[in-house]
Amino acid sequence: MKHRASVGQTSHNKRSHKLRMLIAFTLSSAVAMPAFTAEQTDSRPARTIRDLEKKEVKVKPDPPSDVKAQQAIEQYRRFLELESKNEKLKAEAMRRLGDLQVEVDESERVDENAFGGLGVDEAVQLYEGLLKGYPNYERNDVVMYQLARAYGVKGQPEKALAVLDQLVTTYPRSQWLIESQFRRGEILFSAGRYREAENAYTAVTTPGADTGFFDQGLYKLGWSLFKQSRGDESVAAFLRMLDRVLVQDGRLRARDSLSRPERELTDDALRAISITYSDMDGPESLDAALAQRGDPPYAHQLYEALGNLYIEKERYQDAALAFEAFAKRRPDDRYAPSLQMRTIEAYSKGGFATLVIDGKQAFVERYAFGSAFWRERTVNDAPEVAAQLKSNQKDLAEYYYALAQKDKKPENYAAAARWYRAMLDSFPQDAEAPATRFTLGEVLFESGRFADAAREYETTAYDYPAHPKSAAAGYAALVAYQKHEPSLEGESKALWHRQGIESALMFATSFPEHPESARVQTKADEDLFALSDFDRVIEVSTLILERNPPVERKLARTATTLLAHSLFDRGRFVEAESAYVKVQGFLPANDPDRANIEERIAASIYKQAEAKRTAGDATGAVDDFLRVAALAPNSKARSNAEYDAASILLQNKEWDRAAQVLETFRRNYPNHELVPDATRSLAVAYLELGRGTQGAAELERVAARAEEPVEVRRAALWQAAELYEKGASPTNAGRLYASYVTQYPSPLDPAMDARQKLADMAKAQNDVKTRSQWLDEIIRADKSAGAARTDRSKYLAAKATIETAEAPAAMFAAVKLTAPLNKSLKLKRTAMEKTLAVYGQALDYGVAEVTTQATYGMAELYRQLGADLMASERPKDLDADAKEQYDVLLEEQAFPFEEKAIELHETNAQRTGDGVYDAWVQRSFDVLAKLVPARYAKTEISEDYVPTLP
């Protein structure tokens, strides 16, 4: 036994791999052979082996698991060496020894060199001896099966087939019948005897599915039919096998749940089916077959296998059609998308670029979210389909984008945008969504759809968590806003412009570290200022100036300037002043904006002063107005500020300080438009300070300015003359009154008053000649005024006229009536006539005051002439009678004059009835009292009247 073992061990290394595989395949279905044990009938143990002959042997299904095969072989051999007469037991021992020998031999053979055949040869001898020596042994079917098995191990399939043929014929009810038929089929199939193999496999599959060889039987039946070119029948067999292996409880088994043999079996069957249909009309034949049979759960695998076969043969279009056939047949099937993808893959391998794009488009249109495929599924139910959808959408988008960039065709840009948008609609939460939306924005921008691009860029920048494209998208949105704006008009343009500003502000605050952030924010600030949105400008400018790190000097200057302007426009003048002062700090001495900023500083202070003035804070207002000169000495507003300060001081009667400010104002701004007002105001201040002469000088300045309105100049000249007059400066007063008459002959009344003043001033200076000249001027001016004459001019002319009567009246009074009387009387009458003529002229004015005076004067002329006649020198040569007669004649001559005098005085006195009573009327009454005492010299006696009470 040790020798056999060593021989077996040696031969163990000589067996070929091919033989090992054949033995393994031949014996793969063999089951462990049953063992037998002796069942004791009494309690006494058997003492010798011979005692076993009397015992009934019962075979158990399996030998003891703890018994080594080689030990058992030795025991069986020793048993057979005994001269036992129990044929049944001896036959069983021989069978069992053969089985063990075959098993040991099989287990020890690893390669061709290790195979010596001694163990199997011994088994064959045992089996053959057993069959020959014991032809009626009840378990000869088992012996035949093992003998065939041993022949198979020995590589003698013909002998194995002969034994199996005998077994299936002799023992049609043997438990080894199915396996024996299967082994027959295998031997026949290997020998190319496919029709006989078909029959053997049919015998295997006919009893039912519980034999253990059913599935493999169907499989080999299918191949047997296939080898006979009986395609439909072979497919039917394969499908029956696939129904068994791939389907459980009506559902397709997962591939990873299949054992390796099951996977190999199904793959091979699918390939055979594919070959069958590839030899027909391909997917059309498969469609027809399934239409008749019905689609099994693994139907997609049939189409996929067919496509795979075509791919192996490099028939890529046929492969694509095969894959797509299932997708078309059952578009909503769980596996349809995968086969649609295989369609695309086939076109790709075949180099059919256009068909690849068409396939991808068909895929995304058929399996987009919302399609029938997803009606009762979620992404978790088909994650790979979702991934395929995303991949195809992306491929389509990138394809059309690349094409559009090359040919610039709008339809290609539109297609690219469509698919990028489809990606976003399908996978809004995808990690790549921000980058996808950014690319969509690029597509829209390049195609000229700037408004749409701006919206996509903004969504990319601000509607996702921070990502690498955030800042770039935000900036791109601003460019898109600028590009689109020129195409708009009116309200639409204004609205779009405003949206662009808001986008810029969002960019600046969201991406402060972007190199363009500060510049963009400043530009938005400028745009807001252009829209007069001052509150926003204040807000944005403050943000710019608070940035850390600080913005560059140029931007800081702009932001500070806009802040100052906006604060000013919003009435926040204190803050505006401070901001403008800061702006000054940014400006070099020769900066062209420096003057304007100084003006704005001045305006800010000026507005503060105005506010204080309105609030009643006069002192604060004055201080602010005067502060303009300190902070904005070169500003245009300085002059107005100083003048306004002076005005407030004048209103508050701070005359001295007001005068100082006005003097400074006029000195600094001699040509300022407010200088005349300042001069007038200064005149007021001087007057209030009692400095009339200085006030007059200021008014004279006003009167001398040709730019002043005539009325202003005339009024100023008059007032200056009056001030000089009151200030005891008659020379200056006379000079100005005379100038007034010359410059402003009309209106008539003021000019007449000026002439009157000049006449009065001459009188005061005892300048009779000058006074006479001005009186004549008064009379002449009134006379020449014509229709422009006024009551005032008439009055003054009348007064002047009456005064001119004084000279001829004096001459009249100076003429003494001497002898000869005729000669002196003539002179006196001439003087009287001149005087009466003047009085007559005075009466013509109809001025009551002058009329009474003229009437009185005329009456007195007549009375004086009568009195002078009576008192005239008598001729010396008259005697008493002649003298008496002469006196009578004189009385006769004088009486009419006296009567005329009484008449005129009475005329004057009678004016009291008209309500006229003045000094001249009173003097007439006095004269009448002397001339007609009986009538006018009476003293009125008044009596007390005491009323009597009834």
Side-chain angles (χ1 to χ4, degrees):
M1 296 298 294
K2 290 182 181 180
H3 174 71
R4 290 193 178 187
S6 63
V7 172
Q9 186 68 31
T10 301
S11 63
H12 194 77
N13 298 319
K14 297 180 181 180
R15 195 68 169 170
S16 68
H17 177 70
K18 180 177 180 182
L19 182 57
R20 289 203 317 273
M21 292 304 296
L22 178 59
I23 294 172
F25 181 77
T26 304
L27 301 179
S28 63
S29 300
V31 296
M33 298 305 296
F36 60 86
T37 60
E39 184 180 289
Q40 298 178 344
T41 58
D42 55 45
S43 59
R44 290 181 301 171
R47 297 182 63 84
T48 65
I49 294 178
R50 186 175 295 276
D51 293 334
L52 295 175
E53 296 178 1
K54 301 177 180 179
K55 303 296 182 181
E56 182 178 356
V57 178
K58 292 186 177 181
V59 180
K60 295 184 177 179
D62 295 300
S65 60
D66 58 346
V67 177
K68 294 183 179 180
Q70 197 61 42
Q71 293 176 346
I73 289 173
E74 294 298 328
Q75 293 296 327
Y76 278 120
R77 282 177 176 169
R78 289 178 60 193
F79 176 81
L80 291 174
E81 289 174 355
L82 299 175
E83 293 181 0
S84 176
K85 294 182 180 179
N86 189 333
E87 296 299 330
K88 181 178 180 182
L89 190 58
K90 187 176 180 180
E92 184 64 25
M94 292 175 67
R95 183 194 64 76
R96 184 58 182 154
L97 178 59
D99 291 347
L100 287 171
Q101 196 66 51
V102 172
E103 289 174 8
V104 169
D105 191 71
E106 287 179 345
S107 64
E108 290 182 351
R109 292 191 179 102
V110 176
D111 55 48
E112 184 175 1
N113 294 329
F115 180 72
L118 294 179
V120 176
D121 288 343
E122 185 179 359
V124 169
Q125 293 175 5
L126 289 171
Y127 291 142
E128 288 177 345
L130 180 60
L131 291 173
K132 184 176 181 181
Y134 301 95
N136 297 320
Y137 177 50
E138 62 182 5
R139 300 193 68 186
N140 273 345
D141 59 336
V142 177
V143 175
M144 290 180 179
Y145 175 81
Q146 291 293 80
L147 177 58
R149 183 180 172 200
Y151 281 137
V153 172
K154 289 186 60 152
Q156 297 176 333
E158 296 81 3
K159 290 184 176 182
L161 179 61
V163 174
L164 292 172
D165 287 344
Q166 183 182 0
L167 188 155
V168 299
T169 302
T170 306
Y171 300 101
R173 297 183 179 276
S174 172
Q175 63 175 343
W176 305 102
L177 177 67
I178 300 302
E179 186 171 355
S180 297
Q181 289 285 20
F182 183 80
R183 288 184 178 278
R184 289 184 68 247
E186 295 291 86
I187 296 171
L188 292 168
F189 188 90
S190 297
R193 296 160 63 181
Y194 302 118
R195 178 63 179 175
E196 296 172 83
E198 172 197 347
N199 293 332
Y201 290 130
T202 300
V204 171
T205 59
T206 299
D210 298 330
T211 63
F213 290 89
F214 186 77
D215 295 338
Q216 282 202 336
L218 288 173
Y219 168 76
K220 295 310 293 278
L221 175 61
W223 272 110
S224 298
L225 294 167
F226 178 85
K227 290 294 186 177
Q228 298 176 66
S229 300
R230 293 159 62 187
D232 290 338
E233 294 175 85
S234 71
V235 168
F238 283 130
L239 290 178
R240 288 177 63 198
M241 185 275 292
L242 293 175
D243 287 341
R244 294 263 310 156
V245 176
L246 295 180
V247 181
Q248 184 174 15
D249 299 329
R251 299 174 64 87
L252 180 67
R253 292 175 62 192
R255 183 168 178 81
D256 57 8
S257 70
L258 299 177
S259 65
R260 179 178 177 182
E262 287 176 328
R263 287 196 298 271
E264 293 175 351
L265 205 65
T266 57
D267 289 346
D268 208 28
L270 289 170
R271 179 174 179 79
I273 295 173
S274 301
I275 294 172
T276 299
Y277 285 118
S278 69
D279 291 339
M280 299 181 187
D281 294 327
E284 294 180 4
S285 298
L286 180 55
D287 284 342
L290 293 181
Q292 183 176 0
R293 183 183 188 276
D295 288 3
Y298 52 84
H300 63 286
Q301 295 186 18
L302 300 175
Y303 288 89
E304 187 171 18
L306 178 59
N308 290 338
L309 179 65
Y310 283 136
I311 287 178
E312 288 180 16
K313 295 180 180 181
E314 297 185 355
R315 295 169 56 183
Y316 299 112
Q317 282 188 295
D318 289 337
L321 293 174
F323 294 136
E324 192 171 25
F326 180 76
K328 289 181 177 180
R329 177 178 179 81
R330 298 182 60 180
D332 301 336
D333 188 89
R334 173 65 178 79
Y335 301 97
S338 297
L339 266 71
Q340 183 70 41
M341 285 298 295
R342 295 299 306 277
T343 300
I344 298 168
E345 177 186 330
Y347 284 137
S348 179
K349 287 184 177 181
F352 303 109
T354 301
L355 294 177
V356 169
I357 296 301
D358 292 343
K360 287 179 177 292
Q361 186 161 331
F363 183 96
V364 297
E365 289 175 349
R366 185 173 292 164
Y367 300 112
F369 293 125
S371 66
F373 178 83
W374 295 102
R375 190 168 297 146
E376 296 181 0
R377 293 186 180 95
T378 65
V379 172
N380 291 333
D381 295 328
E384 80 287 355
V385 179
Q388 293 161 356
L389 174 63
K390 175 184 173 183
S391 175
N392 283 318
Q393 288 175 335
K394 183 176 182 179
D395 290 345
L396 286 170
E398 291 177 348
Y399 169 80
Y400 282 109
Y401 187 21
L403 192 61
Q405 289 181 313
K406 182 178 180 180
D407 62 21
K408 307 301 181 183
K409 291 183 178 180
E411 58 268 26
N412 289 329
Y413 277 116
R418 172 192 175 189
W419 295 120
Y420 278 121
R421 202 178 298 282
M423 288 177 65
L424 294 168
D425 293 341
S426 300
F427 306 98
Q429 304 303 319
D430 188 78
E432 297 180 2
T436 300
R437 193 173 293 277
F438 180 82
T439 308
L440 172 58
E442 299 282 82
V443 171
L444 295 170
F445 186 93
E446 291 178 24
S447 62
R449 295 167 61 184
F450 301 118
D452 293 335
R455 283 188 285 270
E456 297 303 334
Y457 283 138
E458 284 185 323
T459 302
T460 303
Y462 309 118
D463 289 358
Y464 295 101
H467 56 87
K469 290 293 185 180
S470 295
Y475 190 79
L478 306 184
V479 179
Y481 271 107
Q482 292 178 350
K483 288 286 188 179
H484 184 59
E485 186 168 330
S487 66
L488 301 175
E489 294 180 354
E491 186 64 28
S492 297
K493 185 172 185 177
L495 179 60
W496 183 257
H497 183 67
R498 170 68 77 166
Q499 292 173 348
I501 295 173
E502 295 303 326
S503 185
L505 294 175
M506 177 70 78
F507 171 81
T509 55
S510 298
F511 310 108
E513 296 181 358
H514 191 279
E516 295 296 317
S517 177
R519 186 190 65 79
V520 167
Q521 193 172 26
T522 305
K523 177 61 170 59
D525 204 15
E526 291 176 313
D527 290 342
L528 287 171
F529 185 79
L531 295 175
S532 299
D533 193 349
F534 302 121
D535 289 332
R536 292 294 303 284
V537 174
I538 293 170
E539 174 188 346
V540 175
S541 297
T542 302
L543 290 174
I544 294 172
L545 296 173
E546 290 177 349
R547 289 176 70 107
N548 188 23
V551 299
E552 60 181 86
R553 185 176 180 84
K554 179 180 179 182
L555 299 181
R557 168 181 169 176
T558 300
T560 307
T561 303
L562 295 176
L563 174 62
H565 288 335
S566 298
L567 288 169
F568 185 91
D569 286 323
R570 296 304 295 159
R572 296 163 62 175
F573 303 115
V574 175
E575 297 168 271
E577 176 192 346
S578 176
Y580 282 126
V581 170
K582 290 179 181 178
V583 173
Q584 270 190 329
F586 290 105
L587 307 178
N590 60 347
D591 194 290
D593 289 337
R594 195 169 187 85
N596 180 56
I597 295 302
E598 187 171 355
E599 290 295 339
R600 300 296 288 187
I601 292 174
S604 299
I605 301 172
Y606 194 96
K607 289 293 185 179
Q608 294 175 55
E610 286 185 324
K612 290 179 180 178
R613 179 171 60 187
T614 302
D617 182 5
T619 301
V622 169
D623 291 342
D624 278 344
F625 279 131
L626 296 180
R627 195 160 56 86
V628 172
L631 293 180
N634 301 313
S635 65
K636 296 176 182 178
R638 175 184 173 182
S639 56
N640 285 358
E642 291 182 355
Y643 182 83
D644 286 345
S647 297
I648 296 174
L649 292 170
L650 289 171
Q651 291 172 6
N652 291 341
K653 299 182 179 181
E654 296 183 45
W655 311 115
D656 189 47
R657 191 179 178 191
Q660 293 176 21
V661 174
L662 289 170
E663 287 169 355
T664 302
F665 171 82
R666 191 170 62 187
R667 182 172 57 253
N668 291 335
Y669 310 104
N671 298 318
H672 195 280
E673 61 181 3
L674 291 176
V675 165
D677 293 335
T679 299
R680 287 190 290 273
S681 297
L682 191 56
V684 172
Y686 286 147
L687 292 176
E688 294 294 338
L689 291 169
R691 294 150 63 178
T693 300
Q694 288 178 287
E698 298 304 322
L699 290 172
E700 190 174 356
R701 282 193 177 96
V702 175
R705 289 187 77 252
E707 295 83 4
E708 293 283 358
V710 173
E711 286 301 313
V712 173
R713 294 168 58 197
R714 184 176 66 79
L717 187 60
W718 180 266
Q719 188 175 6
E722 286 185 323
L723 288 173
Y724 279 130
E725 184 180 4
K726 293 177 182 178
S729 180
T731 300
N732 286 325
R735 175 174 56 81
L736 295 188
Y737 281 132
S739 177
Y740 187 94
V741 170
T742 301
Q743 294 183 57
Y744 309 110
S746 62
L748 183 59
D749 286 351
M752 294 294 285
D753 287 337
R755 293 181 178 94
Q756 184 62 51
K757 284 183 175 292
L758 288 166
D760 292 343
M761 291 171 66
K763 180 179 179 180
Q765 297 173 4
N766 294 318
D767 186 349
V768 175
K769 180 180 179 182
T770 301
R771 179 173 175 78
S772 177
Q773 290 174 349
W774 284 114
L775 290 176
D776 289 341
E777 179 63 20
I778 290 171
I779 296 169
R780 184 201 63 76
D782 175 71
K783 185 175 181 180
S784 63
R789 296 174 69 197
T790 65
D791 290 344
R792 178 65 177 167
S793 69
K794 292 178 183 178
Y795 172 80
L796 293 177
K799 293 287 285 184
T801 300
I802 199 67
E803 187 171 342
T804 60
E806 292 179 358
M811 292 180 63
F812 169 79
V815 176
K816 301 297 182 180
L817 293 180
T818 60
L821 182 60
N822 290 338
K823 185 177 178 179
S824 59
L825 181 61
K826 182 179 179 182
L827 290 174
K828 197 170 184 70
R829 287 182 66 85
T830 299
M832 180 178 178
E833 289 175 356
K834 290 183 178 179
T835 304
L836 287 173
V838 174
Y839 283 140
Q841 292 173 1
L843 288 172
D844 289 341
Y845 287 105
V847 177
E849 178 183 345
V850 173
T851 297
T852 57
Q853 183 179 357
T855 301
Y856 175 84
M858 292 171 67
E860 285 298 292
L861 283 176
Y862 283 111
R863 187 187 67 77
Q864 187 65 42
L865 181 58
D868 286 348
L869 281 174
M870 294 304 297
S872 63
E873 181 182 10
R874 275 32 176 201
K876 295 183 183 299
D877 55 354
L878 292 179
D879 55 19
D881 291 334
K883 183 180 179 183
E884 182 178 356
Q885 289 180 352
Y886 189 83
D887 287 340
V888 171
L889 288 173
L890 286 176
E891 288 182 359
E892 290 177 353
Q893 288 287 328
F895 180 74
F897 292 117
E898 185 176 336
E899 288 295 316
K900 186 63 174 179
I902 292 171
E903 178 185 352
L904 289 173
H905 278 306
E906 285 183 337
T907 299
N908 226 14
Q910 290 171 358
R911 288 192 170 94
T912 58
D914 297 329
V916 178
Y917 183 83
D918 57 16
W920 301 107
V921 173
Q922 179 61 49
R923 293 174 71 174
S924 289
F925 273 115
D926 293 343
V927 173
L928 287 172
K930 294 177 181 180
L931 294 177
V932 190
R935 186 175 177 184
Y936 293 101
K938 294 180 179 179
T939 300
E940 294 183 3
I941 300 175
S942 62
E943 295 182 357
D944 294 335
Y945 174 73
V946 180
T948 303
L949 295 175

